[in-house]
Every structure is written in structure tokens, then in C-alpha cells.
Amino acid sequence: MGTQKTALYDYHKSLGAKFVPFAGYEMPVQYSSGIVEEHKVTRSNAGLFDVSHMGQLLIEGNENLATELEKIIPTDLKKIKLNQSKYSFLMNEQGGIYDDLIITKVEKGFIIILNAACKNNDFKIIKNALGSKFQLTLCKNLSLVALQGPKSSEILEKTINGISSLKFMNGNKFSYNDKDIYITRSGYTGEDGFEISIPNQLVEDFAKKLIVQGVKPIGLGARDTLRLEAGLCLYGHDINESTSPIEANLKWAISKRRREEGGFVGYNKIKSDMNGSLARLRVGVNPEGKIIAREGVKIFSKDNEEIGLVTSGTFGPSVNRSIAMGYVKLNFSKPGTKVLLEVRGKKYEANISELPFYKKNYVR
Amino acid sequence: MSDKKYSKKHEWVSLEGDVATVGITKHASEMLGDVVFVELPDKGKNVEKEGQAGVVESTKAASDVYTPVTGEITETNQSIVDDPAAVNKDPEGASWFFKVKIKNKSELDELMNKADYEKFAKENSN
């Protein structure tokens, strides 16, 4: 299987993108101004991200569909309102995470946004769980772009009338060049912003409309530093098939009714984690100096007991210091706990920190 | 000060007497992207040609810095440790990494001149 390209590939090239292979796609990692500049402009103005590599799965069906999906997705799909989005996941029997996702209730059923590297496997898992009763479509005719940053609403409103009235984690159908597009107020940066699902043949024209208004194109590099400052998990790194949602500090994403009633794959682990068997927790880690603690760095207690592992780490351009997240044994997870990080054979002082590192400005 | 010489590992060397100043090339700094962390060798340490003599990290990844010459570290540039972003601003000037009292001047003959390095960098940038 060769490397795939998104519909915006040539446009990225014309904007000076440097590409990297990512989940089977050639994706822009950065443009000419560099990751730090792209990060900062997203926080101060607005940035445009091509996330068309992600899966857009449409599942068509009625109330029965919600009942069936609840068996594999631990959010309250009976109470979810039309056009409301929820962060959730697919789990294995051991309570590990196959993928994290955003599920939105739409008129026809549900739209689920999936990670690029997981989408084909997710499709199989969901298809197996639902059987042949419902129509599943991984929409290859659709692109997905994210407009993120404090000026996003003001800028997008000029092109798409009415979007500024959307609330965080809510979406709606809009029209662009007489075609239906679907926009949600959501993102992966810790900023206000929108994710726009749009037919492939319209996406370049749409992107250009935003770029001429001063929006900067942003690559995967800054997407990573932005999400890490915002304390958001990157699948395959901070969460995976051997981390449970409770260990990952994502208990908030499991609806209260579902936590109490269960009835979904992986519930046994969730239940035991919530009832005292939780052994480790995902936390923020603040190195005291400039040292960068990347994925795989071991975390030690002050007494040199190995207590955990860093799963993501970088320099946070907006907080202007080194930041990381990882898992530590439960009794070392309290913010303020002093720990040591082993980088290239030397130990460096760090503190367990609350997440996010960067406070959000969502429109609720 | 003599003209700069360049290594295949993207370091530059400038010799004054028997003290060589070493840094990373402009090309290397551009390939790395925004530098966010620099680690330099201790003063007094003996380093071997092509041996590891520091670390430079960008938002993307960590890379080793090698010394293109053998000798003793006599000075390091603390200003780039305090402000790593300075490496991107002036990699072949104010943002040098360390100075080495060299043992064997002929080691420099094995390095490239500017024109050859630029050709090499262009061919190896993808």
C-alpha cells in the first residue's frame, strides 16, 4: 500500500510545507515559519489544520442504533442531543483503549471521528459489534479541516453565516457553494475553534478563503505542542490498548449513568479501577530546568524508586518551558509531588503537575 | 581567524591558533527547526574526533552534536544553554557551541570547505 495524500496536498506544497509520513499519509509537519511560530499564531490569531487523514465514519440508524452503540461506546447516547458531540473511546475486553474518538448525533444517526492510524481497525470493531443492521460509511469523499484560535469564530463567520452561535462540542449543517458541510465547535489545541467536514472538491477553495484572511496553515508539529499544552492525549502514546480510561484520567468522559450501569466492553476494568484497584494515573510532569523529557523517559521518586514513564514531552511555546505527561504510581500522582526524570543517564528534578499546562478559552 | 571548515555531521569549525571553535551549521539549524534545549560538554573534558560532544533538541526531536576535532574542551557557550532559540538566529556566529584545544591540525584537512559543504548539504537534505 502506497502513501496516501489528502485533497489539500498540492495546496500544502504551494504554502511551503515540509511533509512527513504519518499513519500512511504524507502530512505537513510544518510550513516555512516553523513550529514555535505556528503554535503561537494559533494561540493569538487563528490557524488552519488539515486533518483529512482522520476517519469520518457515518453510521445510519434510529434509537436502536444508540442502544447497540452503547455496548461498545461508554457515553450516554440515549441522552445525547441532536448535533451534540461527545469525547469517548472504543475499548477492548481488558479495558484498554483501541482508539479515542468524537461522536456526534446527526439526523441520520451518528458521525464518529477516528484517528487515522486506527480507523480501519475501528471500522471492523464497530461493524462486528453492529452486525448488518446498520449502514456504515468511512467517508473518503470528505475532507476534514480544523480552524483553531481566538479569531476563528470572527473569521469563519465571514465565510459561513451563523457559525458564531455554535456552542463548544456542538455542531450543525451549513452550506458552502450550495453544498452541505458539517461544522462542529471543537478541536485539539486548547483554543476555541471549529472542525469542518467538507467535500474533497471544495476543500482547497475553502482553505484559500481562510488563508487570504490571514489564517496561517499549521502542521502536525505545532498540533502536537498545542495539544500537549492543553493536556490532551495523543493516541498510541498517552493512551493505547494497555491503558484504561480511568488510569488515563479520562473518567469524566464516561457518562455517570454508564459508569454506574456498565453494559459496555471493558466495563469490568473501569469498575475495578473506580473501586480501589487503580494502580497508576496519567499526570502532568513539569521538569524544573530546560531538559526535555520525551516519550520513554523513566520517572523516579525522590528515593530513586522507579514509579512511572513519560508518554509525551516537549517544549511548550506558550507556557515557555519544558512540559510532559506520563503515568505514575497512584501514591505519587498528587500535583506538587517531587520526582526525578532520567534523561540520557542523568537524573533531573521535576514536579507532578495538574493538567492542562495551558488554560483553555472554550465558548460554552 | 581562518575560514570555516565543515563536517559531514553538519558542524562547523573555525581555527584560531590551536583553539577550534565549533558550532552547528545554518543548514543543520534549519533542518532541526526551533531549538529548545542545548547540552554542552564539561570544560576540561577530552573529546575525540566524531565523538558525541553535546545534545541539541528541537520541538521535534533530540540530536547528538559531534566534535569534528580531537582535543580538550576549553570553553562552552552558556548563552545558548540559557537561550536555546539563539541557535536558530545566528548558528554560525554568536551561537557557537564549544571551543577545543586541538592536538592535530591535520584533522581539519579532512573537513570540507564552504562550497563543498553546501553541495553536500543540498544532496543530503531529503
Side-chain angles (χ1 to χ4, degrees):
Chain A
M1 212 168 70
T3 317
Q4 302 184 65
K5 289 169 181 164
T6 71
L8 283 175
Y9 179 84
D10 290 333
Y11 187 51
H12 294 313
K13 216 167 184 178
S14 76
L15 292 169
K18 266 193 213 173
F19 293 91
V20 289
F22 181 85
Y25 287 80
E26 277 295 304
M27 297 301 290
V29 62
Q30 66 166 87
Y31 299 81
S32 46
S33 62
I35 292 172
V36 169
E37 191 52 36
E38 288 173 25
H39 177 114
K40 287 181 175 168
V41 86
T42 304
R43 293 253 184 266
S44 65
N45 188 20
L48 184 69
F49 303 70
D50 181 12
V51 288
S52 304
H53 56 315
M54 297 185 84
Q56 301 184 61
L57 177 65
L58 171 67
I59 310 177
E60 296 173 63
N62 48 23
E63 303 90 67
N64 291 337
L65 173 58
T67 306
E68 291 302 310
L69 272 178
E70 278 204 351
K71 293 175 184 168
I72 50 168
I73 294 177
T75 197
D76 195 335
L77 296 175
K78 292 190 175 141
K79 263 216 270 315
I80 193 171
K81 296 189 186 88
L82 182 64
N83 294 316
Q84 192 182 14
S85 300
K86 291 278 185 186
Y87 175 74
S88 193
F89 13 78
L90 287 173
M91 280 180 282
N92 58 31
E93 288 290 348
Q94 292 75 40
I97 302 173
Y98 277 130
D99 198 5
D100 61 341
L101 54 88
I102 300 278
I103 182 164
T104 305
K105 175 84 187 88
V106 292
E107 281 163 11
K108 286 180 177 175
F110 292 97
I111 291 174
I112 308 183
I113 306 298
L114 304 160
N115 279 301
C118 306
K119 63 184 178 184
N120 292 324
N121 191 43
D122 295 343
F123 183 91
K124 280 182 207 152
I125 292 166
I126 299 170
K127 182 90 190 164
N128 280 341
L130 296 180
S132 52
K133 286 173 278 180
F134 306 98
Q135 179 76 35
L136 271 73
T137 317
L138 254 180
C139 304
K140 294 191 172 127
N141 59 322
L142 295 177
S143 290
L144 188 66
V145 291
L147 179 66
Q148 302 278 294
K151 301 276 172 67
S152 298
S153 178
E154 185 190 321
I155 292 168
L156 191 57
E157 181 67 36
K158 289 179 196 155
T159 306
I160 312 284
N161 209 346
I163 57 91
S164 57
S165 61
L166 285 177
K167 297 276 183 264
F168 183 63
M169 293 302 270
N170 275 271
N172 217 330
K173 224 160 53 177
F174 293 87
S175 174
Y176 181 73
N177 287 3
D178 299 325
K179 290 269 195 305
D180 279 349
I181 62 173
Y182 195 85
I183 302 180
T184 56
R185 195 163 201 155
S186 54
Y188 191 51
T189 58
E191 293 296 330
D192 183 24
F194 301 86
E195 289 174 302
I196 302 117
S197 170
I198 182 168
N200 290 337
Q201 68 270 23
L202 289 180
V203 69
E204 185 169 333
D205 178 75
F206 179 79
K208 278 178 183 162
K209 277 226 169 58
L210 299 175
I211 299 291
V212 295
Q213 292 182 71
V215 171
K216 297 291 180 213
I218 314 294
L220 289 181
R223 186 169 163 82
D224 192 49
T225 55
L226 287 159
R227 69 92 195 167
L228 189 42
E229 278 189 344
L232 301 168
C233 292
L234 176 60
Y235 189 79
H237 301 265
D238 307 303
I239 49 177
N240 59 38
E241 287 180 26
S242 63
T243 59
S244 86
I246 307 296
E247 291 171 339
N249 222 337
L250 299 172
K251 186 175 163 185
W252 59 268
I254 306 174
S255 316
K256 191 164 173 282
R257 173 175 70 82
R258 308 303 317 277
R259 261 186 257 161
E260 286 163 4
E261 289 177 5
F264 55 87
V265 176
Y267 182 59
N268 286 345
K269 171 70 173 165
I270 301 283
K271 200 173 158 186
S272 67
D273 275 355
M274 288 190 306
N275 289 324
S277 73
L278 184 66
R280 57 176 184 160
L281 197 64
R282 182 177 63 95
V283 292
V285 182
N286 260 333
E288 285 193 353
K290 287 183 184 290
I291 191 78
I292 310 287
R294 296 185 192 273
E295 182 173 11
V297 162
K298 287 177 180 169
I299 308 172
F300 293 84
S301 72
K302 287 298 249 183
D303 305 324
N304 274 315
E305 176 196 348
E306 193 176 327
I307 54 166
L309 210 58
V310 168
T311 51
S312 285
T314 190
F315 173 79
S318 299
V319 295
N320 197 28
R321 56 179 162 77
S322 169
I323 52 173
M325 60 167 95
Y327 287 82
V328 291
K329 287 185 181 173
L330 197 61
N331 49 332
F332 293 95
S333 63
K334 203 171 156 241
T337 305
K338 302 259 180 215
V339 296
L340 298 168
L341 304 171
E342 189 179 83
V343 181
R344 292 183 286 271
K346 272 190 250 173
K347 294 222 171 79
Y348 296 85
E349 293 190 343
N351 296 290
I352 300 301
S353 153
E354 303 213 14
L355 292 171
F357 298 104
Y358 175 87
K359 293 277 177 268
K360 328 179 177 195
N361 308 296
Y362 296 142
V363 176
R364 298 204 185 250
Chain B
M1 198 177 276
S2 73
D3 286 343
K4 284 197 185 84
K5 291 283 198 148
Y6 297 83
S7 78
K8 285 187 175 173
K9 294 197 166 156
H10 306 285
E11 284 88 28
W12 57 265
V13 191
S14 171
L15 192 65
E16 205 168 1
D18 60 354
V19 175
T21 304
V22 177
I24 66 166
T25 66
K26 187 164 183 291
H27 171 77
S29 79
E30 284 165 2
M31 294 301 285
L32 282 167
D34 305 293
V35 174
V36 295
F37 177 79
V38 174
E39 189 174 274
L40 296 172
D42 293 333
K43 230 192 262 188
K45 189 184 174 189
N46 285 301
V47 291
E48 289 276 334
K49 179 183 166 79
E50 289 179 4
Q52 194 249 345
V55 175
V56 58
E57 295 200 35
S58 71
T59 41
K60 284 178 274 186
S63 311
D64 285 331
V65 175
Y66 301 92
T67 173
V69 288
T70 303
E72 183 193 329
I73 301 289
T74 57
E75 218 180 311
T76 58
N77 188 359
Q78 184 62 31
S79 73
I80 60 168
V81 174
D82 297 337
D83 177 22
V87 174
N88 296 106
K89 289 176 198 136
D90 192 11
E92 298 199 21
S95 299
W96 55 275
F97 275 52
F98 49 83
K99 297 190 182 197
V100 186
K101 190 172 180 188
I102 61 166
K103 287 191 169 152
N104 183 356
K105 272 190 191 178
S106 69
E107 280 181 353
L108 271 81
D109 300 338
E110 298 157 29
L111 301 172
M112 290 174 271
N113 64 28
K114 193 175 174 66
D116 288 344
Y117 172 71
E118 280 173 359
K119 193 165 165 257
F120 169 82
K122 208 172 169 186
E123 284 164 3
N124 289 277
S125 62
N126 288 319

